[in-house]
Structures are given as C-alpha cells and as structure tokens.
Amino acid sequence: MTTAPTVHARGLLDRAFPPPRLSPEEHEVLARLQRVLDDEVEPLAAEHDAAGTYASRSIDALRPTGITNASLPRDLGGIAASHRLTLEAQVRMAVADSSVAQVFRVHEDSVRELHVTAGEPLRTRLGELLSGDRAVIGLAAAENGARVDSPFTTLAAQRDDGSWVINGRKIYATGAAGSDLIAVAAWDPVSGADDTIAGIKTFLVPPDAPGLTLGHDWDALGQRATASGSVTFTDVEVPPLYGGLFATGLMIHSGPRFQAGFAAELVGIGIAAIRAAAPFVHDVSRPWPSAGVERASEDPTVRRLAGELVGDLVAAYTAVIATGDLLDAFEAGEVDRTGMAVPIYAAKATATRAALRATSEIFALMGTRSVTGGRGFDRHWRNARTLSLHDPVAWKDVEIGRHVLEGWEPEPGLYQ
C-alpha cells in the first residue's frame, strides 16, 4: 500500500487526518477527484444550497475523474476499487458539498448492487452505460407507508413479452431528477406470493420515461441540492432488459454498506464546518479579555474546543475508513456478517455525534459575529442535522449494546 501526501492536505484538515492508504491506481482516481472537488464542486456548494436544486454542474464534474465507475470490475471498465477508496471519496465529496456526496452514495450503492445481481445481458449493458457513457444512477425506493417498513404500494406487472409496467409513488428519490437512470424498487405480486424478498424488484428507468413525473418538491432544511423529492409512476413501461431481472436486498451486507456511506458523509460535513470556521476565528473573531491574547485563535479555550472537535472527527473518520476494509473482507469471506456490521454501526453512531457537535460548536469557536446574516455557517449544521435523520442513530447504539450484552447478531435488512 502507498500513501499520497498530495491528495490529503487540502481535502481534509492539513495533517490532522492520516493520509489515505490506497493502491497507486486508486490514488490516481482520488487525486483527479480532489482537484475537481477543490476547483469545481466546493466553489458552487453555497450556491446550490441557496437554490435548492439538483447540483448538475458538480455531478457532471465527477464523471471524468473515474470515481463514478471505479468500483466496477475490470471486465466492465472499472478498477475493482476497494470500499476504502469509495468511502474516502464520499468523505471528501461531503467536505466540498454534502449534497453531491449523498447523490454519489446512491449511485455508488447502486453500482455495487447492480453489477452483481443483474443477469449477464444487463451486466454487460451496465458496463457500457457506466464506463462508456459515464452514466449516473438515482434512486426511488421510500414510500409513505404508516411504518418505515410498510409493504410497497408501487406495483410492477409483467407482460407476456417480458416487459413491465410500474404504477405508484415514491416520496424520496435522491438524485433522481438529474440522473441518467433511476433505480426503482417496486413490488411484483407474482414473485412475492411465496417469498417477500423475491417480490421486491429493481427496475432501471430514465427520468424522462413517459408516465414518470418528478415532483420537484424537495424543500428541506438541509441537503437541499440532492433533489430528494417525490416521483410518480403512471403506467411506466420498462423493457425486459431493464426490468425485474434482479431483486433488491439480495446482498446481505447492503444495509451496513448504506450505513457506512452515511457515516462518511457526516464526517465530511463536520470537517467542512471546521474548515469554514478556522479562518474566521483567526482573522475575524475577537479574543475574550480574560485570555490576555491578541487573536481569538490564541485563546486556550478556543484552541481546546477546536482540538476536541477535530479529535472527535479524526476518530470517526478512522472508524469509517476501517469499515471499508471490513466490507472488502466480508466480500472476500474473511469476516462474518456480524463482525462486519457491528463496527459499522459504531462508526455511524460516532460520525453522527462528531458531525452534529462540530457543526453546532463552530459558533462557540467563532463568537457572535459568526451568526450575523449572510455568513452561511449554518449550512453545515443544516446538512448534518438533515442527513442524521435518515435512520435514528439511537437504534445503532441500542443494537451495539444488544450485541455486546446479549450476543445478538443483526439479521440482514436495509437498516441493520
């Protein structure tokens, strides 16, 4: 394994974070990505947040870097990238623009799922789309049931010619509005008659398909540029190649991988908050008289708080990157599912707390001047608070406690 100092300093917080340990080929992808994040993505983040629309220019900027197809196997045009690389990438994307990181995570999860679970004709086509056309995949899965795990009401019916028709509505569809294809989860009553999992099918649908209506109704506190609004399907036709050839949830580590991605994004948001606050503290904030110093950055209480916030983020970052190794080890048969999943829960819980504290406490670092209108420091807290609500972090703590106290082993599922 090698290190590359050229891609770690600006991307995170100077040398407070350990440099990435990746293969030379992965370092090349990360270096290209970091240049794009610095030069093209981060400068647009505040604008995209204010507009509350899909970050099209930033997502397009990712495509030439190779990160969007990196995890594909080599026969499909990728580099068989490790989870360590793609989680590192998600941290860095979230530092630049956390909405971009969330859109990428949906795409990345789809890429890792689809090329494994698709039949050979679709697998070949995915290679063409993802490596040749640099396609980006959005997601439409969540529905407005009485419970988070209520049965799907979006239905898929197969015709005699093998094509499908989809009807229903999804309330959250991250990245769908700007994607090339949307991965749509729908219920097939025929396949699901005797097997619930088999009844949940995934379909790839272009956002401009006849009968597909994007709600453009994502008006949230944070993560505003993810376009995570509703999608309605009215007799949407899906050809046999893109319809129902693989079932959602077949990969039993899907749930933990989702959690690892959320953790990476949260760490990145926390880092972004500290990066935004540091020059303000140094150049604008006023020191408290009792400190007897000329600059706020010399105040020992300010330094201590900054150190605590960064220390928590470094610990969370280290845990998140380690989960990438666990995911790779699980796929290689070197660790069982519980040994992979429980540490990921811990990383998710740690990252959530570190991000929420950092994005809130930067105001204590900066002082009253930081809360005046137009500063924009609240963006980081809004993003962290919104993303942290995707699934309750309290349940991650409960599940860790249940495991260590009673030996409980989590069953495969979207959230555990």
PDB file of all heavy atoms in Angstrom, residues 25-62:
ATOM      1  N   GLU A  25      -3.211   2.939  -8.302  1.00  0.00           N
ATOM      2  CA  GLU A  25      -4.296   3.214  -9.239  1.00  0.00           C
ATOM      3  C   GLU A  25      -5.430   3.973  -8.554  1.00  0.00           C
ATOM      4  O   GLU A  25      -6.021   4.902  -9.123  1.00  0.00           O
ATOM      5  CB  GLU A  25      -4.798   1.894  -9.822  1.00  0.00           C
ATOM      6  CG  GLU A  25      -5.692   2.041 -11.037  1.00  0.00           C
ATOM      7  CD  GLU A  25      -5.999   0.704 -11.665  1.00  0.00           C
ATOM      8  OE1 GLU A  25      -5.917  -0.330 -10.953  1.00  0.00           O
ATOM      9  OE2 GLU A  25      -6.322   0.672 -12.861  1.00  0.00           O
ATOM     10  N   GLU A  26      -5.734   3.585  -7.318  1.00  0.00           N
ATOM     11  CA  GLU A  26      -6.779   4.281  -6.573  1.00  0.00           C
ATOM     12  C   GLU A  26      -6.344   5.701  -6.223  1.00  0.00           C
ATOM     13  O   GLU A  26      -7.159   6.631  -6.233  1.00  0.00           O
ATOM     14  CB  GLU A  26      -7.125   3.489  -5.315  1.00  0.00           C
ATOM     15  CG  GLU A  26      -7.859   2.183  -5.608  1.00  0.00           C
ATOM     16  CD  GLU A  26      -8.126   1.368  -4.357  1.00  0.00           C
ATOM     17  OE1 GLU A  26      -7.296   1.401  -3.431  1.00  0.00           O
ATOM     18  OE2 GLU A  26      -9.170   0.683  -4.305  1.00  0.00           O
ATOM     19  N   HIS A  27      -5.064   5.878  -5.904  1.00  0.00           N
ATOM     20  CA  HIS A  27      -4.554   7.218  -5.631  1.00  0.00           C
ATOM     21  C   HIS A  27      -4.739   8.144  -6.833  1.00  0.00           C
ATOM     22  O   HIS A  27      -5.044   9.330  -6.676  1.00  0.00           O
ATOM     23  CB  HIS A  27      -3.069   7.155  -5.265  1.00  0.00           C
ATOM     24  CG  HIS A  27      -2.818   7.039  -3.798  1.00  0.00           C
ATOM     25  ND1 HIS A  27      -3.303   7.954  -2.881  1.00  0.00           N
ATOM     26  CD2 HIS A  27      -2.130   6.122  -3.069  1.00  0.00           C
ATOM     27  CE1 HIS A  27      -2.915   7.598  -1.661  1.00  0.00           C
ATOM     28  NE2 HIS A  27      -2.215   6.486  -1.751  1.00  0.00           N
ATOM     29  N   GLU A  28      -4.552   7.623  -8.016  1.00  0.00           N
ATOM     30  CA  GLU A  28      -4.717   8.435  -9.216  1.00  0.00           C
ATOM     31  C   GLU A  28      -6.157   8.924  -9.338  1.00  0.00           C
ATOM     32  O   GLU A  28      -6.406  10.096  -9.657  1.00  0.00           O
ATOM     33  CB  GLU A  28      -4.320   7.635 -10.450  1.00  0.00           C
ATOM     34  CG  GLU A  28      -2.829   7.335 -10.552  1.00  0.00           C
ATOM     35  CD  GLU A  28      -2.500   6.478 -11.754  1.00  0.00           C
ATOM     36  OE1 GLU A  28      -3.414   6.213 -12.562  1.00  0.00           O
ATOM     37  OE2 GLU A  28      -1.332   6.071 -11.896  1.00  0.00           O
ATOM     38  N   VAL A  29      -7.108   8.035  -9.091  1.00  0.00           N
ATOM     39  CA  VAL A  29      -8.517   8.431  -9.129  1.00  0.00           C
ATOM     40  C   VAL A  29      -8.798   9.478  -8.063  1.00  0.00           C
ATOM     41  O   VAL A  29      -9.448  10.500  -8.325  1.00  0.00           O
ATOM     42  CB  VAL A  29      -9.430   7.205  -8.935  1.00  0.00           C
ATOM     43  CG1 VAL A  29     -10.895   7.639  -8.823  1.00  0.00           C
ATOM     44  CG2 VAL A  29      -9.260   6.219 -10.081  1.00  0.00           C
ATOM     45  N   LEU A  30      -8.294   9.254  -6.855  1.00  0.00           N
ATOM     46  CA  LEU A  30      -8.545  10.196  -5.766  1.00  0.00           C
ATOM     47  C   LEU A  30      -7.923  11.558  -6.054  1.00  0.00           C
ATOM     48  O   LEU A  30      -8.514  12.596  -5.739  1.00  0.00           O
ATOM     49  CB  LEU A  30      -8.004   9.630  -4.452  1.00  0.00           C
ATOM     50  CG  LEU A  30      -8.346  10.433  -3.193  1.00  0.00           C
ATOM     51  CD1 LEU A  30      -9.855  10.491  -2.979  1.00  0.00           C
ATOM     52  CD2 LEU A  30      -7.648   9.838  -1.969  1.00  0.00           C
ATOM     53  N   ALA A  31      -6.736  11.567  -6.636  1.00  0.00           N
ATOM     54  CA  ALA A  31      -6.087  12.841  -6.959  1.00  0.00           C
ATOM     55  C   ALA A  31      -6.896  13.617  -7.985  1.00  0.00           C
ATOM     56  O   ALA A  31      -7.075  14.848  -7.862  1.00  0.00           O
ATOM     57  CB  ALA A  31      -4.670  12.593  -7.468  1.00  0.00           C
ATOM     58  N   ARG A  32      -7.387  12.936  -9.018  1.00  0.00           N
ATOM     59  CA  ARG A  32      -8.240  13.611 -10.013  1.00  0.00           C
ATOM     60  C   ARG A  32      -9.501  14.140  -9.361  1.00  0.00           C
ATOM     61  O   ARG A  32      -9.941  15.269  -9.624  1.00  0.00           O
ATOM     62  CB  ARG A  32      -8.588  12.650 -11.154  1.00  0.00           C
ATOM     63  CG  ARG A  32      -7.433  12.311 -12.075  1.00  0.00           C
ATOM     64  CD  ARG A  32      -7.923  11.669 -13.363  1.00  0.00           C
ATOM     65  NE  ARG A  32      -8.601  10.401 -13.132  1.00  0.00           N
ATOM     66  CZ  ARG A  32      -7.987   9.222 -13.140  1.00  0.00           C
ATOM     67  NH1 ARG A  32      -6.679   9.146 -13.328  1.00  0.00           N
ATOM     68  NH2 ARG A  32      -8.687   8.109 -12.961  1.00  0.00           N
ATOM     69  N   LEU A  33     -10.093  13.314  -8.506  1.00  0.00           N
ATOM     70  CA  LEU A  33     -11.314  13.726  -7.822  1.00  0.00           C
ATOM     71  C   LEU A  33     -11.059  14.950  -6.954  1.00  0.00           C
ATOM     72  O   LEU A  33     -11.844  15.907  -6.964  1.00  0.00           O
ATOM     73  CB  LEU A  33     -11.844  12.575  -6.964  1.00  0.00           C
ATOM     74  CG  LEU A  33     -13.030  12.907  -6.060  1.00  0.00           C
ATOM     75  CD1 LEU A  33     -14.249  13.266  -6.891  1.00  0.00           C
ATOM     76  CD2 LEU A  33     -13.325  11.741  -5.123  1.00  0.00           C
ATOM     77  N   GLN A  34      -9.969  14.954  -6.187  1.00  0.00           N
ATOM     78  CA  GLN A  34      -9.705  16.065  -5.281  1.00  0.00           C
ATOM     79  C   GLN A  34      -9.536  17.379  -6.038  1.00  0.00           C
ATOM     80  O   GLN A  34     -10.006  18.432  -5.591  1.00  0.00           O
ATOM     81  CB  GLN A  34      -8.462  15.794  -4.441  1.00  0.00           C
ATOM     82  CG  GLN A  34      -8.283  16.778  -3.288  1.00  0.00           C
ATOM     83  CD  GLN A  34      -9.418  16.695  -2.291  1.00  0.00           C
ATOM     84  OE1 GLN A  34      -9.620  15.655  -1.666  1.00  0.00           O
ATOM     85  NE2 GLN A  34     -10.166  17.771  -2.122  1.00  0.00           N
ATOM     86  N   ARG A  35      -8.892  17.334  -7.186  1.00  0.00           N
ATOM     87  CA  ARG A  35      -8.744  18.560  -7.981  1.00  0.00           C
ATOM     88  C   ARG A  35     -10.107  19.094  -8.405  1.00  0.00           C
ATOM     89  O   ARG A  35     -10.354  20.311  -8.350  1.00  0.00           O
ATOM     90  CB  ARG A  35      -7.865  18.285  -9.204  1.00  0.00           C
ATOM     91  CG  ARG A  35      -6.387  18.133  -8.875  1.00  0.00           C
ATOM     92  CD  ARG A  35      -5.540  18.172 -10.128  1.00  0.00           C
ATOM     93  NE  ARG A  35      -5.746  17.004 -10.973  1.00  0.00           N
ATOM     94  CZ  ARG A  35      -5.056  15.870 -10.864  1.00  0.00           C
ATOM     95  NH1 ARG A  35      -4.111  15.755  -9.946  1.00  0.00           N
ATOM     96  NH2 ARG A  35      -5.297  14.868 -11.682  1.00  0.00           N
ATOM     97  N   VAL A  36     -10.988  18.197  -8.816  1.00  0.00           N
ATOM     98  CA  VAL A  36     -12.329  18.622  -9.235  1.00  0.00           C
ATOM     99  C   VAL A  36     -13.119  19.159  -8.045  1.00  0.00           C
ATOM    100  O   VAL A  36     -13.823  20.174  -8.164  1.00  0.00           O
ATOM    101  CB  VAL A  36     -13.064  17.446  -9.906  1.00  0.00           C
ATOM    102  CG1 VAL A  36     -14.564  17.733 -10.028  1.00  0.00           C
ATOM    103  CG2 VAL A  36     -12.474  17.172 -11.281  1.00  0.00           C
ATOM    104  N   LEU A  37     -13.001  18.502  -6.904  1.00  0.00           N
ATOM    105  CA  LEU A  37     -13.711  18.974  -5.713  1.00  0.00           C
ATOM    106  C   LEU A  37     -13.237  20.367  -5.310  1.00  0.00           C
ATOM    107  O   LEU A  37     -14.045  21.243  -4.981  1.00  0.00           O
ATOM    108  CB  LEU A  37     -13.510  17.993  -4.555  1.00  0.00           C
ATOM    109  CG  LEU A  37     -14.114  16.595  -4.735  1.00  0.00           C
ATOM    110  CD1 LEU A  37     -13.749  15.716  -3.557  1.00  0.00           C
ATOM    111  CD2 LEU A  37     -15.624  16.656  -4.917  1.00  0.00           C
ATOM    112  N   ASP A  38     -11.927  20.583  -5.334  1.00  0.00           N
ATOM    113  CA  ASP A  38     -11.372  21.880  -4.947  1.00  0.00           C
ATOM    114  C   ASP A  38     -11.745  22.982  -5.929  1.00  0.00           C
ATOM    115  O   ASP A  38     -12.107  24.091  -5.530  1.00  0.00           O
ATOM    116  CB  ASP A  38      -9.839  21.795  -4.857  1.00  0.00           C
ATOM    117  CG  ASP A  38      -9.359  20.934  -3.710  1.00  0.00           C
ATOM    118  OD1 ASP A  38     -10.147  20.698  -2.768  1.00  0.00           O
ATOM    119  OD2 ASP A  38      -8.194  20.493  -3.752  1.00  0.00           O
ATOM    120  N   ASP A  39     -11.636  22.665  -7.217  1.00  0.00           N
ATOM    121  CA  ASP A  39     -11.747  23.705  -8.242  1.00  0.00           C
ATOM    122  C   ASP A  39     -13.160  23.927  -8.760  1.00  0.00           C
ATOM    123  O   ASP A  39     -13.495  25.038  -9.180  1.00  0.00           O
ATOM    124  CB  ASP A  39     -10.834  23.367  -9.428  1.00  0.00           C
ATOM    125  CG  ASP A  39      -9.366  23.305  -9.052  1.00  0.00           C
ATOM    126  OD1 ASP A  39      -9.007  23.872  -8.000  1.00  0.00           O
ATOM    127  OD2 ASP A  39      -8.593  22.658  -9.784  1.00  0.00           O
ATOM    128  N   GLU A  40     -13.989  22.876  -8.733  1.00  0.00           N
ATOM    129  CA  GLU A  40     -15.299  22.984  -9.373  1.00  0.00           C
ATOM    130  C   GLU A  40     -16.488  22.747  -8.451  1.00  0.00           C
ATOM    131  O   GLU A  40     -17.527  23.378  -8.611  1.00  0.00           O
ATOM    132  CB  GLU A  40     -15.375  22.006 -10.554  1.00  0.00           C
ATOM    133  CG  GLU A  40     -14.307  22.233 -11.622  1.00  0.00           C
ATOM    134  CD  GLU A  40     -14.458  21.296 -12.803  1.00  0.00           C
ATOM    135  OE1 GLU A  40     -15.584  21.226 -13.341  1.00  0.00           O
ATOM    136  OE2 GLU A  40     -13.467  20.631 -13.175  1.00  0.00           O
ATOM    137  N   VAL A  41     -16.353  21.820  -7.506  1.00  0.00           N
ATOM    138  CA  VAL A  41     -17.505  21.455  -6.684  1.00  0.00           C
ATOM    139  C   VAL A  41     -17.670  22.376  -5.481  1.00  0.00           C
ATOM    140  O   VAL A  41     -18.739  22.972  -5.283  1.00  0.00           O
ATOM    141  CB  VAL A  41     -17.400  19.982  -6.228  1.00  0.00           C
ATOM    142  CG1 VAL A  41     -18.551  19.627  -5.282  1.00  0.00           C
ATOM    143  CG2 VAL A  41     -17.417  19.063  -7.444  1.00  0.00           C
ATOM    144  N   GLU A  42     -16.616  22.528  -4.675  1.00  0.00           N
ATOM    145  CA  GLU A  42     -16.729  23.333  -3.466  1.00  0.00           C
ATOM    146  C   GLU A  42     -17.116  24.790  -3.751  1.00  0.00           C
ATOM    147  O   GLU A  42     -17.939  25.362  -3.030  1.00  0.00           O
ATOM    148  CB  GLU A  42     -15.429  23.271  -2.665  1.00  0.00           C
ATOM    149  CG  GLU A  42     -15.546  23.926  -1.296  1.00  0.00           C
ATOM    150  CD  GLU A  42     -14.350  23.645  -0.408  1.00  0.00           C
ATOM    151  OE1 GLU A  42     -13.423  22.933  -0.837  1.00  0.00           O
ATOM    152  OE2 GLU A  42     -14.349  24.131   0.748  1.00  0.00           O
ATOM    153  N   PRO A  43     -16.597  25.431  -4.799  1.00  0.00           N
ATOM    154  CA  PRO A  43     -16.991  26.822  -5.056  1.00  0.00           C
ATOM    155  C   PRO A  43     -18.474  27.006  -5.357  1.00  0.00           C
ATOM    156  O   PRO A  43     -18.997  28.111  -5.219  1.00  0.00           O
ATOM    157  CB  PRO A  43     -16.135  27.196  -6.281  1.00  0.00           C
ATOM    158  CG  PRO A  43     -14.945  26.306  -6.201  1.00  0.00           C
ATOM    159  CD  PRO A  43     -15.489  25.002  -5.687  1.00  0.00           C
ATOM    160  N   LEU A  44     -19.165  25.938  -5.751  1.00  0.00           N
ATOM    161  CA  LEU A  44     -20.581  26.035  -6.098  1.00  0.00           C
ATOM    162  C   LEU A  44     -21.512  25.589  -4.973  1.00  0.00           C
ATOM    163  O   LEU A  44     -22.732  25.711  -5.099  1.00  0.00           O
ATOM    164  CB  LEU A  44     -20.874  25.177  -7.338  1.00  0.00           C
ATOM    165  CG  LEU A  44     -20.202  25.589  -8.648  1.00  0.00           C
ATOM    166  CD1 LEU A  44     -20.460  24.529  -9.715  1.00  0.00           C
ATOM    167  CD2 LEU A  44     -20.723  26.947  -9.119  1.00  0.00           C
ATOM    168  N   ALA A  45     -20.965  25.077  -3.876  1.00  0.00           N
ATOM    169  CA  ALA A  45     -21.788  24.441  -2.849  1.00  0.00           C
ATOM    170  C   ALA A  45     -22.798  25.399  -2.233  1.00  0.00           C
ATOM    171  O   ALA A  45     -23.980  25.065  -2.077  1.00  0.00           O
ATOM    172  CB  ALA A  45     -20.905  23.834  -1.770  1.00  0.00           C
ATOM    173  N   ALA A  46     -22.358  26.590  -1.847  1.00  0.00           N
ATOM    174  CA  ALA A  46     -23.281  27.541  -1.219  1.00  0.00           C
ATOM    175  C   ALA A  46     -24.375  27.961  -2.190  1.00  0.00           C
ATOM    176  O   ALA A  46     -25.544  28.112  -1.799  1.00  0.00           O
ATOM    177  CB  ALA A  46     -22.507  28.758  -0.725  1.00  0.00           C
ATOM    178  N   GLU A  47     -24.010  28.126  -3.455  1.00  0.00           N
ATOM    179  CA  GLU A  47     -24.999  28.500  -4.471  1.00  0.00           C
ATOM    180  C   GLU A  47     -26.046  27.407  -4.640  1.00  0.00           C
ATOM    181  O   GLU A  47     -27.249  27.680  -4.722  1.00  0.00           O
ATOM    182  CB  GLU A  47     -24.283  28.755  -5.795  1.00  0.00           C
ATOM    183  CG  GLU A  47     -25.209  29.068  -6.970  1.00  0.00           C
ATOM    184  CD  GLU A  47     -24.455  29.195  -8.284  1.00  0.00           C
ATOM    185  OE1 GLU A  47     -23.245  29.517  -8.258  1.00  0.00           O
ATOM    186  OE2 GLU A  47     -25.082  28.960  -9.336  1.00  0.00           O
ATOM    187  N   HIS A  48     -25.600  26.160  -4.703  1.00  0.00           N
ATOM    188  CA  HIS A  48     -26.541  25.057  -4.844  1.00  0.00           C
ATOM    189  C   HIS A  48     -27.445  24.934  -3.623  1.00  0.00           C
ATOM    190  O   HIS A  48     -28.643  24.640  -3.747  1.00  0.00           O
ATOM    191  CB  HIS A  48     -25.784  23.745  -5.062  1.00  0.00           C
ATOM    192  CG  HIS A  48     -25.187  23.628  -6.425  1.00  0.00           C
ATOM    193  ND1 HIS A  48     -24.024  22.939  -6.678  1.00  0.00           N
ATOM    194  CD2 HIS A  48     -25.596  24.112  -7.618  1.00  0.00           C
ATOM    195  CE1 HIS A  48     -23.745  22.998  -7.965  1.00  0.00           C
ATOM    196  NE2 HIS A  48     -24.684  23.707  -8.557  1.00  0.00           N
ATOM    197  N   ASP A  49     -26.900  25.169  -2.445  1.00  0.00           N
ATOM    198  CA  ASP A  49     -27.703  25.127  -1.227  1.00  0.00           C
ATOM    199  C   ASP A  49     -28.776  26.208  -1.264  1.00  0.00           C
ATOM    200  O   ASP A  49     -29.941  25.958  -0.936  1.00  0.00           O
ATOM    201  CB  ASP A  49     -26.813  25.312  -0.010  1.00  0.00           C
ATOM    202  CG  ASP A  49     -27.603  25.447   1.278  1.00  0.00           C
ATOM    203  OD1 ASP A  49     -28.152  24.441   1.747  1.00  0.00           O
ATOM    204  OD2 ASP A  49     -27.693  26.584   1.801  1.00  0.00           O
ATOM    205  N   ALA A  50     -28.391  27.423  -1.661  1.00  0.00           N
ATOM    206  CA  ALA A  50     -29.343  28.526  -1.693  1.00  0.00           C
ATOM    207  C   ALA A  50     -30.446  28.279  -2.712  1.00  0.00           C
ATOM    208  O   ALA A  50     -31.620  28.573  -2.463  1.00  0.00           O
ATOM    209  CB  ALA A  50     -28.613  29.831  -2.005  1.00  0.00           C
ATOM    210  N   ALA A  51     -30.085  27.718  -3.858  1.00  0.00           N
ATOM    211  CA  ALA A  51     -31.074  27.483  -4.912  1.00  0.00           C
ATOM    212  C   ALA A  51     -31.969  26.293  -4.597  1.00  0.00           C
ATOM    213  O   ALA A  51     -33.132  26.246  -5.002  1.00  0.00           O
ATOM    214  CB  ALA A  51     -30.364  27.263  -6.249  1.00  0.00           C
ATOM    215  N   GLY A  52     -31.430  25.317  -3.865  1.00  0.00           N
ATOM    216  CA  GLY A  52     -32.218  24.139  -3.521  1.00  0.00           C
ATOM    217  C   GLY A  52     -32.559  23.274  -4.709  1.00  0.00           C
ATOM    218  O   GLY A  52     -33.587  22.592  -4.728  1.00  0.00           O
ATOM    219  N   THR A  53     -31.698  23.290  -5.720  1.00  0.00           N
ATOM    220  CA  THR A  53     -31.925  22.476  -6.910  1.00  0.00           C
ATOM    221  C   THR A  53     -30.763  21.511  -7.107  1.00  0.00           C
ATOM    222  O   THR A  53     -29.685  21.691  -6.554  1.00  0.00           O
ATOM    223  CB  THR A  53     -32.070  23.358  -8.161  1.00  0.00           C
ATOM    224  OG1 THR A  53     -30.928  24.214  -8.271  1.00  0.00           O
ATOM    225  CG2 THR A  53     -33.331  24.208  -8.070  1.00  0.00           C
ATOM    226  N   TYR A  54     -31.002  20.488  -7.906  1.00  0.00           N
ATOM    227  CA  TYR A  54     -30.008  19.445  -8.162  1.00  0.00           C
ATOM    228  C   TYR A  54     -28.696  20.057  -8.625  1.00  0.00           C
ATOM    229  O   TYR A  54     -28.669  20.935  -9.498  1.00  0.00           O
ATOM    230  CB  TYR A  54     -30.553  18.487  -9.214  1.00  0.00           C
ATOM    231  CG  TYR A  54     -29.670  17.302  -9.524  1.00  0.00           C
ATOM    232  CD1 TYR A  54     -29.684  16.177  -8.711  1.00  0.00           C
ATOM    233  CD2 TYR A  54     -28.840  17.297 -10.650  1.00  0.00           C
ATOM    234  CE1 TYR A  54     -28.897  15.069  -9.008  1.00  0.00           C
ATOM    235  CE2 TYR A  54     -28.055  16.203 -10.947  1.00  0.00           C
ATOM    236  CZ  TYR A  54     -28.087  15.093 -10.131  1.00  0.00           C
ATOM    237  OH  TYR A  54     -27.307  14.007 -10.426  1.00  0.00           O
ATOM    238  N   ALA A  55     -27.597  19.554  -8.061  1.00  0.00           N
ATOM    239  CA  ALA A  55     -26.270  20.117  -8.343  1.00  0.00           C
ATOM    240  C   ALA A  55     -25.706  19.550  -9.644  1.00  0.00           C
ATOM    241  O   ALA A  55     -24.687  18.842  -9.662  1.00  0.00           O
ATOM    242  CB  ALA A  55     -25.330  19.822  -7.174  1.00  0.00           C
ATOM    243  N   SER A  56     -26.340  19.886 -10.752  1.00  0.00           N
ATOM    244  CA  SER A  56     -25.997  19.279 -12.042  1.00  0.00           C
ATOM    245  C   SER A  56     -24.539  19.496 -12.424  1.00  0.00           C
ATOM    246  O   SER A  56     -23.843  18.559 -12.843  1.00  0.00           O
ATOM    247  CB  SER A  56     -26.896  19.851 -13.143  1.00  0.00           C
ATOM    248  OG  SER A  56     -28.244  19.583 -12.885  1.00  0.00           O
ATOM    249  N   ARG A  57     -24.060  20.743 -12.308  1.00  0.00           N
ATOM    250  CA  ARG A  57     -22.688  21.028 -12.739  1.00  0.00           C
ATOM    251  C   ARG A  57     -21.679  20.243 -11.903  1.00  0.00           C
ATOM    252  O   ARG A  57     -20.681  19.741 -12.429  1.00  0.00           O
ATOM    253  CB  ARG A  57     -22.409  22.530 -12.630  1.00  0.00           C
ATOM    254  CG  ARG A  57     -23.119  23.376 -13.685  1.00  0.00           C
ATOM    255  CD  ARG A  57     -22.881  24.859 -13.434  1.00  0.00           C
ATOM    256  NE  ARG A  57     -23.601  25.318 -12.249  1.00  0.00           N
ATOM    257  CZ  ARG A  57     -23.465  26.533 -11.720  1.00  0.00           C
ATOM    258  NH1 ARG A  57     -22.620  27.408 -12.277  1.00  0.00           N
ATOM    259  NH2 ARG A  57     -24.157  26.871 -10.646  1.00  0.00           N
ATOM    260  N   SER A  58     -21.926  20.119 -10.627  1.00  0.00           N
ATOM    261  CA  SER A  58     -20.987  19.408  -9.766  1.00  0.00           C
ATOM    262  C   SER A  58     -21.003  17.906 -10.030  1.00  0.00           C
ATOM    263  O   SER A  58     -19.943  17.258 -10.050  1.00  0.00           O
ATOM    264  CB  SER A  58     -21.316  19.686  -8.300  1.00  0.00           C
ATOM    265  OG  SER A  58     -21.102  21.049  -8.001  1.00  0.00           O
ATOM    266  N   ILE A  59     -22.172  17.337 -10.228  1.00  0.00           N
ATOM    267  CA  ILE A  59     -22.249  15.911 -10.530  1.00  0.00           C
ATOM    268  C   ILE A  59     -21.582  15.622 -11.867  1.00  0.00           C
ATOM    269  O   ILE A  59     -20.831  14.643 -12.017  1.00  0.00           O
ATOM    270  CB  ILE A  59     -23.707  15.425 -10.533  1.00  0.00           C
ATOM    271  CG1 ILE A  59     -24.352  15.625  -9.156  1.00  0.00           C
ATOM    272  CG2 ILE A  59     -23.781  13.957 -10.958  1.00  0.00           C
ATOM    273  CD1 ILE A  59     -23.689  14.875  -8.036  1.00  0.00           C
ATOM    274  N   ASP A  60     -21.813  16.477 -12.850  1.00  0.00           N
ATOM    275  CA  ASP A  60     -21.170  16.286 -14.153  1.00  0.00           C
ATOM    276  C   ASP A  60     -19.654  16.363 -14.039  1.00  0.00           C
ATOM    277  O   ASP A  60     -18.924  15.665 -14.751  1.00  0.00           O
ATOM    278  CB  ASP A  60     -21.672  17.331 -15.155  1.00  0.00           C
ATOM    279  CG  ASP A  60     -23.095  17.060 -15.615  1.00  0.00           C
ATOM    280  OD1 ASP A  60     -23.578  15.922 -15.425  1.00  0.00           O
ATOM    281  OD2 ASP A  60     -23.726  17.982 -16.159  1.00  0.00           O
ATOM    282  N   ALA A  61     -19.165  17.207 -13.137  1.00  0.00           N
ATOM    283  CA  ALA A  61     -17.718  17.359 -12.964  1.00  0.00           C
ATOM    284  C   ALA A  61     -17.072  16.091 -12.426  1.00  0.00           C
ATOM    285  O   ALA A  61     -15.876  15.855 -12.635  1.00  0.00           O
ATOM    286  CB  ALA A  61     -17.422  18.534 -12.051  1.00  0.00           C
ATOM    287  N   LEU A  62     -17.839  15.240 -11.726  1.00  0.00           N
ATOM    288  CA  LEU A  62     -17.288  13.999 -11.183  1.00  0.00           C
ATOM    289  C   LEU A  62     -17.013  12.958 -12.259  1.00  0.00           C
ATOM    290  O   LEU A  62     -16.107  12.121 -12.115  1.00  0.00           O
ATOM    291  CB  LEU A  62     -18.257  13.384 -10.164  1.00  0.00           C
ATOM    292  CG  LEU A  62     -18.640  14.187  -8.932  1.00  0.00           C
ATOM    293  CD1 LEU A  62     -19.562  13.355  -8.057  1.00  0.00           C
ATOM    294  CD2 LEU A  62     -17.423  14.644  -8.147  1.00  0.00           C
TER     295      LEU A  62
END
